[in-house]
Amino acid sequence: MTKRLFLLDGMALAYRAHFAFINRPIFNSKGMNTSALFGFTATLIDLILRENPSHLAIVFDTPAPTERHIEYPAYKAHREEMPEDLSAALPHLSRVAEAFGIPVLKMDGYEADDLIGTLATRAALEDFVTYMVTPDKDFGQLVDEKILVYRPSYKGDAPEILDTEAVCAKWGIQRTSQVIDVLGLAGDTADNIPGVPGIGPKTAQKLLSQFDSLEGILTHLDQLKGKQQENLREHADQARLSARLATINRNAPIDTRPESLILHPLNKEVLQALFSEFEFRSLGRRLFGDEFQLEMTEASNEIEPSKASGSDQLELLETTPFKTIADVPHHYHRVVDAAGRRKLAASLKAQPRFCFDTETTDLNVRRADLLGLALSWKKGEAWYVQFDRNPEAAREELNDFREALTDPAITKIGHNLKYDLAVLKRHGLEVADPLFDTMLAHALIEPEQRHGMDFLAETVLEYRTIHLDSLLQDGAGGKRTMDQIPPEQLAEYSAEDADITWQLSEIFLPQIREKEQERVFFEIEAPLIPVLVDMEEAGIALDTRVLNEYSEQLGDRIRSIEASIVEMVGHEFNLNSPKQLGEILFDELKLADKPKKTRTGQYATNEQTLASLASKHPVVQAILDYRMLVKLKGTYVDTLPAAVDPETGRVHSHFGQLHTVTGRLQSNSPNLQNIPVRSEEGREIRKAFVAGAPDRVLLSADYSQIELRIIAALSQDPGMLEAFRLGLDIHTATASRIYSVDTSEVTREMRSKAKMVNFGIPYGISPFGLAQRLGIGRAEAGELIDQYFAQFSGVQAYIDQTLSKARERGYVETITGRRRILRDINSGNGTVRSAAERNAINMPIQGTAADMIKIAMARIRKSLRQAGLQTRLLLQVHDELVFEVPESEVDQVKPLITEAMVHALELPVPIVVETGTGKNWLEAH
């Protein structure tokens, strides 16, 4: 049987894992960035479970210089400093490897590549097949029938194994050793290998196909012409140097034999302790099943091999288990009769605040029957009110608590209150403000952490709650439903939830004050909860007939475009195959001299790449149109009808308050915020969203250019303020200033470019980015940005001041005080730091816009109720609100809605709200 050895390029995998989560990093409760550890560990688990290797090792670089650095000091010298969070995580990678029983190798003076190359070469002589687990393309030079590249899973992709054929196809060469020759000629910017000026990968491939090797090329320079011959002759030594730098050393003096790299049994106890320390719940359960539970660990950062056993196994230095219900004094009461309910209700009405939690049969509010209500207003004490299993009887029993739950003088506390409020509303009881949601509070206190109750109980209270999964086990290996759980067990579980939530609220309330988030919590987020409850209950009517007809129209257009593409190309091919499309665009039509490639070696055919080529051949725009229509049809037109609730005939989207760092709401199940509006085809989908009754219309109220107005308010730039105060078209006014012409002389092209600059500034747009969006040269794009800041110097000053404060404080905030922590704002790694700087510029602008519309939503709800109107808010889509309005109320509600939106925040710039009505969303907008 052939032996298989897997050699992991540890540093490359750690970098890949860290940057995979760069936009949504993972932090544990101690504030440690565990992104690299999580991704690295997930790769290990995936590899072990998928491949079941017998021999495995992880190989790391060391900081010591190698012969490459000595021969060429500029080797890798341009690389950015390692991100601080990644640097802090590296020592723990070895701990994880050791706990898995995986040998870890490193050697001063040699890179991981060299050790992998050496061991793979030795292993081939000992009848191993070696898989080099790495995303690094340079390892292709080592590939033969016994040495392969294994690219691990990435963002859901399956692992990819590259053999000699795949490597040669990727590099455009005849044998894998020519990888070195390509790098010698073309260089490698990633490692700062210079190569030969004027020679890129394509030219290198052509030369190698003619002369076989670098030395063959240099021997036959007289057969080359012009600048190419001149550059190769002048830089021959540099080419040879580059080839040496790129060559992986197969003879490193490492004292390790492949046979010794046996994967030992994992140390379950230590690995579970590490997963607890890093709070890897999902990975723990994937590896150990439902038995895995987090433990509070106080282990040292270094776990030493056990000296007592003399084995490779590890021991945990110290573990402190969580407290549980068995360890903590508590008094949980079960209420089952009318006398008990009345007595409890009387006590409840005497409290200034109390916590409540519902128990239901289903997580879907529209299918959930009420099983019970848990209440607490004192640590360690809670009551569970058990309701009749008949829904109508349960409604009557719930009425005993109506007075307390609707009393505006009592604060109601809960965790994920939106669900509980929706359940009670469905059962005829509308809970009144004020509200305190521990989930939302923690999202403002520690926005980068998780906010689930189990997590908070463990990390804040060092307490492990009863897990619902254990209650749903029937004892015979099967599952039971919520209403099948024995009442006494359900009572204890629910009472504990109320007790824990109460305790969390007592801790979070002072922390909200300490973090100066009182205004955001009490004036924006908490008042918004009942607004979202109403919106989700209301839903929006969908005319599926309109979508079905549109689906047929799109199908006809897609087939027509497909036929025209085939005609332009001259033969049939699979339009949905990036590989075939790339070959047509770049091998057949030759639309680019140096086409970009993906990490798998295929030509890049993403939307950005195609957009940059659209002017070169009509087939490219046709492909873009084809893709747009296919996505529109598959993602929205054909799937939205399935989202209609059969009972209401309406689509009930969910709106989340916690999912974005800027404070924007997020729509899901289905996501109605991503329905395209920029294309005519996308806007057509809005025709299907209709008023739910003949005497009603939809009303759209949309902030006009709100982010630009907020920039003007924050920057106090005189030019921007004047343009808005005079009611000028801001893009025309911007173009007038940038191009130094009168507004009457601004052309459509000038305005279009100015508009792109205007909208790009809040996102830290670069000359490169602007050039790509506008299809212009980078120099022209840079000049546009320079002119913008020269004319609107207040905006530049605002950006400079914002970045300066962010570097000093470590966070930025909106006008209301909503904060975004920027851990990387002072990072030594330029890429990471630049991303943090873009966030620093954007968040106060986008976050203030989010705060404004949230404030407006709560005020509108209150005004509509006070006026006794039937108008209902249905949707919030970025800067737009959509209402369903009786026709008789339109004239009354338009000014009411506009007033609330305009004055949500008082800014030193006019706020404009555009409104419209119609029988469908498209007409209204």
Side-chain angles (χ1 to χ4, degrees):
M1 180 177 177
T2 302
K3 296 174 288 188
R4 298 194 306 158
L5 169 64
F6 288 79
L7 297 173
L8 279 67
D9 184 357
M11 194 67 76
L13 294 174
Y15 259 92
R16 186 188 72 150
H18 179 80
F19 282 99
F21 296 100
I22 195 67
N23 292 323
R24 296 288 290 179
I26 302 170
F27 290 90
N28 67 7
S29 61
K30 302 176 185 67
M32 177 185 179
N33 185 329
T34 58
S35 300
L37 283 167
F38 181 88
F40 184 86
T41 306
T43 296
L44 287 183
I45 294 173
D46 185 71
L47 181 68
I48 291 169
L49 295 180
R50 188 189 296 269
E51 303 295 343
N52 192 26
S54 58
H55 293 73
L56 181 66
I58 302 175
V59 190
F60 286 102
D61 298 317
T62 74
T66 66
E67 288 185 5
R68 297 180 183 88
H69 297 91
I70 294 169
E71 181 176 11
Y72 185 61
Y75 177 69
K76 293 188 178 180
H78 71 305
R79 285 196 173 181
E80 299 261 19
E81 186 176 333
M82 182 183 295
E84 290 81 355
D85 284 345
L86 176 56
S87 179
L90 287 183
H92 302 294
L93 296 178
S94 295
R95 295 174 63 202
V96 170
E98 290 171 13
F100 270 102
I102 302 172
V104 175
L105 307 174
K106 60 180 75 172
M107 188 176 187
D108 282 349
Y110 295 88
E111 295 184 58
D113 306 32
D114 301 324
L115 302 187
I116 291 173
T118 298
L119 291 168
T121 302
R122 291 178 186 174
L125 300 175
E126 299 177 19
D127 202 30
F128 278 89
V129 172
T130 299
Y131 297 84
M132 303 176 292
V133 183
T134 178
D136 190 341
K137 65 184 188 303
D138 298 358
F139 279 89
Q141 64 185 269
L142 302 174
V143 170
D144 59 26
E145 62 268 3
K146 287 192 173 183
I147 303 175
L148 306 167
V149 170
Y150 185 102
R151 291 181 179 273
S153 302
Y154 188 65
K155 295 185 177 179
D157 294 345
E160 182 184 15
I161 297 175
L162 302 179
D163 56 12
T164 54
E165 183 180 351
V167 171
C168 289
K170 172 181 170 58
W171 287 82
I173 52 181
Q174 287 70 53
R175 61 180 191 281
T176 58
S177 61
Q178 289 178 312
V179 167
I180 299 170
D181 299 311
V182 172
L183 294 171
L185 290 162
D188 185 354
T189 55
D191 291 341
N192 209 32
I193 296 175
V196 176
I199 301 219
K202 282 288 187 184
T203 303
Q205 291 163 10
K206 290 176 183 176
L207 291 171
L208 289 170
S209 68
Q210 186 176 355
F211 300 109
D212 187 62
S213 67
L214 173 61
E215 286 304 322
I217 295 167
L218 296 178
T219 302
H220 296 89
L221 289 178
D222 56 332
Q223 296 184 31
L224 302 178
K225 297 179 180 178
K227 194 69 174 176
Q228 192 176 84
Q229 183 193 92
E230 180 184 331
N231 283 341
L232 280 164
R233 193 178 299 281
E234 181 180 349
H235 297 283
D237 288 343
Q238 185 167 293
R240 293 187 177 99
L241 167 67
S242 297
R244 288 197 300 276
L245 295 174
T247 301
I248 294 174
N249 185 349
R250 294 174 179 240
N251 295 294
I254 184 171
D255 188 21
T256 301
R257 305 303 309 174
E259 278 288 1
S260 69
L261 301 177
I262 297 172
L263 176 63
H264 297 287
L266 60 82
N267 189 320
K268 181 177 177 181
E269 179 184 349
V270 173
L271 199 53
Q272 286 187 337
L274 286 175
F275 282 12
S276 290
E277 179 182 342
F278 303 132
E279 299 165 12
F280 292 163
R281 280 179 178 76
S282 60
L283 296 183
R285 287 174 183 156
R286 182 180 177 194
L287 200 57
F288 301 112
D290 290 339
E291 67 178 277
F292 175 74
Q293 301 291 341
L294 293 190
E295 298 287 347
M296 294 294 289
T297 60
E298 299 296 336
S300 159
N301 282 345
E302 298 295 333
I303 297 182
E304 306 262 344
S306 171
K307 296 179 175 62
S309 65
S311 70
D312 291 331
Q313 300 302 304
L314 307 176
E315 64 181 4
L316 187 65
L317 299 184
E318 184 182 348
T319 301
T320 304
F322 288 117
K323 300 184 290 289
T324 69
I325 195 170
D327 311 310
V328 177
H330 63 280
H331 301 283
Y332 294 162
H333 315 279
R334 185 168 150 224
V335 179
V336 297
D337 56 26
R341 288 196 302 274
R342 286 193 291 269
K343 182 179 178 182
L344 177 58
S347 299
L348 199 62
K349 287 183 287 187
Q351 307 306 318
R353 60 185 185 277
F354 62 81
C355 174
F356 78 96
D357 179 46
T358 61
E359 286 306 329
T360 64
T361 57
D362 203 298
L363 290 176
N364 186 320
V365 170
R366 280 175 296 284
R367 294 197 299 264
D369 289 328
L370 190 61
L371 297 175
L373 184 71
L375 299 153
S376 178
W377 58 86
K378 182 180 178 182
K379 178 180 178 180
E381 189 161 17
W383 289 259
Y384 177 73
V385 182
Q386 180 178 314
F387 292 136
D388 194 289
R389 294 300 168 92
N390 180 291
E392 290 305 315
R395 282 175 176 251
E396 289 300 317
E397 293 172 354
L398 177 62
N399 268 328
D400 288 327
F401 303 95
R402 179 178 297 276
E403 191 174 340
L405 287 166
T406 59
D407 189 337
I410 302 175
T411 299
K412 295 83 179 174
I413 299 165
H415 190 85
N416 189 19
L417 271 175
K418 179 158 69 77
Y419 176 81
D420 297 299
L421 265 60
V423 167
L424 295 185
K425 187 174 182 181
R426 290 271 296 175
H427 285 76
L429 193 156
E430 192 165 81
V431 179
D433 294 335
L435 305 171
F436 189 97
D437 190 327
T438 50
M439 185 173 72
L440 293 180
H442 189 257
L444 294 177
I445 295 165
E446 295 290 352
E448 292 170 323
Q449 291 183 12
R450 287 164 287 180
H451 314 297
M453 177 180 293
D454 290 344
F455 175 81
L456 296 179
E458 291 167 357
T459 56
V460 178
L461 303 175
E462 297 185 7
Y463 181 93
R464 175 173 298 143
T465 57
I466 300 168
H467 283 272
L468 181 60
D469 287 346
S470 65
L471 298 183
L472 293 173
Q473 303 294 327
D474 65 5
K479 290 276 190 180
R480 55 190 175 194
T481 60
M482 287 292 293
D483 57 349
Q484 292 171 335
I485 298 173
E488 63 278 4
Q489 292 184 19
L490 189 60
E492 185 177 58
Y493 163 76
S494 189
E496 182 190 58
D497 272 3
D499 177 19
I500 293 303
T501 302
W502 171 263
Q503 293 183 48
L504 291 172
S505 72
E506 294 285 88
I507 293 170
F508 291 162
L509 180 56
Q511 290 182 353
I512 284 281
R513 296 188 182 114
E514 290 167 14
K515 296 275 187 174
E516 298 178 340
Q517 294 299 292
E518 290 172 284
R519 183 181 182 189
V520 178
F521 183 82
F522 292 109
E523 297 182 22
I524 301 176
E525 297 299 345
L528 188 69
I529 298 170
V531 181
L532 301 184
V533 170
D534 290 352
M535 285 170 59
E536 292 180 7
E537 180 195 42
I540 185 168
L542 187 75
D543 189 337
T544 55
R545 179 183 53 82
V546 171
L547 287 180
N548 292 336
E549 291 175 359
Y550 192 36
S551 178
E552 292 181 10
Q553 295 173 25
L554 288 177
D556 292 341
R557 286 191 60 188
I558 288 168
R559 287 186 288 274
S560 174
I561 293 174
E562 192 171 9
S564 69
I565 291 172
V566 170
E567 184 178 352
M568 281 187 271
V569 170
H571 60 84
E572 290 192 357
F573 70 101
N574 183 359
L575 266 73
N576 299 315
S577 167
K579 182 176 185 296
Q580 292 184 34
L581 178 60
E583 290 169 352
I584 286 169
L585 296 180
F586 303 115
D587 290 339
E588 294 183 22
L589 300 179
K590 301 187 184 303
L591 297 185
D593 294 331
K594 297 179 180 180
K596 294 180 180 178
K597 291 191 176 183
T598 68
R599 67 182 187 87
T600 61
Q602 292 182 6
Y603 290 117
T605 58
N606 55 31
E607 184 176 354
Q608 185 176 347
T609 299
L610 294 183
S612 67
L613 299 170
S615 61
K616 295 192 174 184
H617 197 289
V619 75
V620 180
Q621 186 58 54
I623 292 165
L624 286 168
D625 293 342
Y626 169 84
R627 284 185 175 179
M628 182 266 290
L629 295 178
V630 167
K631 180 179 180 181
L632 207 61
K633 185 175 186 294
T635 305
Y636 302 105
V637 178
D638 292 344
T639 58
L640 277 173
V644 175
D645 188 294
E647 291 185 12
T648 66
R650 299 167 79 94
V651 174
H652 299 268
S653 181
H654 298 275
F655 293 88
Q657 293 173 260
L658 303 177
H659 304 290
T660 63
V661 292
T662 61
R664 279 187 179 271
L665 290 175
Q666 186 179 77
S667 166
N668 61 77
S669 302
N671 185 346
L672 301 181
Q673 294 178 330
N674 280 355
I675 294 175
V677 293
R678 294 186 179 179
S679 67
E680 182 180 343
E681 294 82 1
R683 286 192 293 272
E684 282 292 305
I685 296 174
R686 293 192 170 200
K687 278 186 179 178
F689 292 89
V690 297
D695 64 339
R696 294 174 183 258
V697 294
L698 294 185
L699 185 152
S700 168
D702 196 358
Y703 278 119
S704 172
Q705 300 172 333
I706 189 62
E707 290 190 8
L708 294 179
R709 294 173 192 272
I710 290 170
I711 292 173
L714 292 172
S715 68
Q716 291 288 291
D717 181 86
M720 290 192 77
L721 289 173
E722 180 186 31
F724 282 124
R725 285 169 181 164
L726 294 176
L728 302 178
D729 176 85
I730 187 63
H731 305 310
T732 300
T734 300
S736 171
R737 285 174 168 268
I738 290 177
Y739 291 102
S740 300
V741 297
D742 189 79
T743 54
S744 61
E745 299 175 41
V746 172
T747 65
R748 177 179 294 182
E749 183 183 5
M750 289 177 180
R751 184 185 183 278
S752 177
K753 290 179 179 179
K755 181 177 179 179
M756 191 64 72
V757 177
N758 271 333
F759 285 123
I761 292 302
Y763 297 91
I765 198 167
S766 65
F768 176 75
L770 184 61
Q772 283 199 316
R773 293 189 195 184
L774 291 175
I776 60 177
R778 198 179 303 186
E780 183 184 350
E783 178 64 22
L784 277 173
I785 292 174
D786 289 343
Q787 282 298 319
Y788 177 92
F789 284 126
Q791 294 300 320
F792 300 102
S793 57
V795 177
Q796 180 69 74
Y798 162 73
I799 290 174
D800 293 342
Q801 291 166 10
T802 299
L803 291 177
S804 178
K805 286 182 181 178
R807 294 183 187 111
E808 179 184 342
R809 302 189 299 187
Y811 66 85
V812 289
E813 58 187 7
T814 65
I815 289 174
T816 66
R818 183 189 302 276
R819 291 181 181 177
R820 178 171 188 180
I821 306 300
L822 299 166
R823 297 174 185 270
D824 298 317
I825 193 66
N826 293 307
S827 173
N829 181 282
T831 302
V832 172
R833 186 179 62 253
S834 294
E837 289 173 349
R838 286 192 296 273
N839 290 332
I841 297 166
N842 170 248
M843 188 274 177
I845 300 163
Q846 196 175 91
T848 296
D851 289 342
M852 284 185 70
I853 203 163
K854 284 181 173 181
I855 293 168
M857 290 164 71
R859 291 181 181 176
I860 291 168
R861 178 181 186 267
K862 184 177 180 180
S863 297
L864 290 173
R865 289 184 164 231
Q866 288 175 343
L869 299 173
Q870 296 180 44
T871 295
R872 297 190 295 176
L873 174 59
L874 308 185
L875 299 178
Q876 187 270 340
V877 181
H878 304 311
D879 302 325
E880 177 187 10
L881 299 178
V882 179
F883 300 83
E884 188 172 80
V885 187
E887 291 181 335
S888 60
E889 294 181 3
V890 170
D891 291 340
Q892 187 176 356
V893 300
K894 269 190 179 181
L896 181 153
I897 291 167
T898 302
E899 175 77 9
M901 294 177 70
V902 167
H903 296 288
L905 288 176
E906 297 299 338
L907 301 177
V909 62
I911 301 300
V912 175
V913 174
E914 297 172 344
T915 61
T917 58
K919 285 297 182 181
N920 63 59
W921 190 5
L922 182 62
E923 285 182 12
H925 191 76

